[in-house]
């Protein structure tokens, strides 16, 4: 199994789901979040590194060792923050960057602009869930 260094921005529902899945593969995970109480809970429960702060801070990114990350995943509730932080992470040295973009208008444009923003993957969990449900309904 290939071990990776992963930094996740956002300790919300999506971030925690990612943590649970990725820990099953024994990856080294660092989580950045502005909510100290939430971050402390997640870091202790899942035994991951935690850093309280904003992802748009270069200093915070360097403290989380984004420059050594195989993946940087921005999954806060704010699309703009996710895009900016993924761009910053790539500029700092993250090998691959992923941004959660929920707004359908942004998501459409991100498909076109992701190369300009140096984002390797843009995902919309709600859209993907809807597509999966649609598949099941078409082919039960």
């Amino acid at each position: 199994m290939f071990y990776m260094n992963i930094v996740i921005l956002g300790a919300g529902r999506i971030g925690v789901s990612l943590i649970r899945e990725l820990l099953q593969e024994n990856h080294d995970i660092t989580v950045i979040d502005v909510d100290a109480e939430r971050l402390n809970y997640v870091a202790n429960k899942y035994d991951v590194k935690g850093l309280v702060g904003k992802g748009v801070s270069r200093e915070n990114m360097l403290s989380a060792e984004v420059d050594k990350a195989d993946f940087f995943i921005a999954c806060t509730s704010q699309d703009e923050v996710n895009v900016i932080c993924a761009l910053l992470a790539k500029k700092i040295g993250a090998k691959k960057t992923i941004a959660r973009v929920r707004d359908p208008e942004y998501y459409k444009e991100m498909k076109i602009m992701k190369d300009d923003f140096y984002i390797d993957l843009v995902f919309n969990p709600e859209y993907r869930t809807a597509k999966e449900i649609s598949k099941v309904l078409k082919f039960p």
Side-chain angles (χ1 to χ4, degrees), residues 7-119:
V7 178
I8 297 174
L9 176 66
R13 189 181 77 229
I14 300 294
V16 169
S17 294
L18 287 167
I19 292 165
R20 279 196 304 262
E21 292 296 320
L22 293 168
L23 281 177
Q24 291 179 16
E25 299 174 10
N26 295 319
H27 298 299
D28 184 29
I29 299 172
T30 301
V31 183
I32 305 170
D33 200 283
V34 293
D35 184 338
E37 188 175 323
R38 173 85 178 141
L39 184 63
N40 190 40
Y41 169 78
V42 169
N44 287 326
K45 180 172 182 175
Y46 297 103
D47 194 26
V48 295
K49 295 176 212 158
L51 176 72
V52 178
K54 293 183 178 185
V56 295
S57 163
R58 184 178 181 83
E59 184 179 317
N60 287 344
M61 291 280 218
L62 291 171
S63 293
E65 298 185 333
V66 168
D67 56 321
K68 298 173 186 161
D70 295 298
F71 279 93
F72 174 84
I73 306 169
C75 56
T76 73
S77 61
Q78 298 173 308
D79 294 346
E80 297 87 352
V81 169
N82 294 338
V83 170
I84 290 168
C85 291
L87 172 59
L88 179 59
K90 184 64 99 169
K91 291 288 189 179
I92 288 173
K95 290 182 182 92
K96 298 285 184 181
T97 57
I98 300 171
R100 174 189 186 190
V101 178
R102 297 175 61 200
D103 184 303
E105 289 300 315
Y106 287 169
Y107 188 69
K108 279 194 305 190
E109 297 305 318
M110 287 307 299
K111 286 181 176 183
I112 296 166
M113 297 186 302
K114 76 178 192 176
D115 290 338
D116 294 337
F117 290 146
Y118 307 100
I119 299 172

